[in-house]
Amino acid sequence: MFGTSIDAMVALLVTALVVVPVAFGVAARADAKVRGLSQSRVPDPDPRRSVADVDGRRDQWRQLATRAWLICCGASLVAVAVVGVLICVG
């Protein structure tokens, strides 16, 4: 029974350690996209797009970045907690 909980903790740790870099990459990409949309005030070659369209896209990217940063931080905290528990148990 005891080995099963350690196996579950190790599986949780591995999952968290996979989620952290993925979420970090998504967050960094979304932040870069928001920065690019904020800095580029060049007229869009597509005249059908309005300024509100660009602002809406920027807001969507900003929301994605925020969620990804929260997931990255949460997974990092889970990984640290699991490592702490494994150190105490093992």
Side-chain angles (χ1 to χ4, degrees):
M1 183 69 109
F2 187 67
T4 306
S5 71
I6 288 188
D7 290 342
M9 294 293 281
V10 170
L12 181 61
L13 176 62
V14 169
T15 302
L17 290 176
V18 168
V19 168
V20 169
V22 171
F24 182 81
V26 170
R29 174 71 177 130
D31 273 344
K33 189 72 171 175
V34 169
R35 225 180 345 259
L37 288 172
S38 294
Q39 292 175 354
S40 72
R41 292 295 175 200
V42 178
D44 199 354
D46 186 3
R48 293 174 290 177
R49 278 200 185 147
S50 66
V51 173
D53 233 6
V54 173
D55 288 342
R57 283 187 12 225
R58 185 175 51 236
D59 289 341
Q60 288 175 343
W61 280 105
R62 187 175 290 126
Q63 288 174 357
L64 177 65
T66 302
R67 287 184 190 127
W69 282 120
L70 288 174
I71 291 169
C72 184
C73 292
S76 297
L77 290 174
V78 167
V80 168
V82 169
V83 166
V85 168
L86 288 174
I87 287 172
C88 290
V89 169

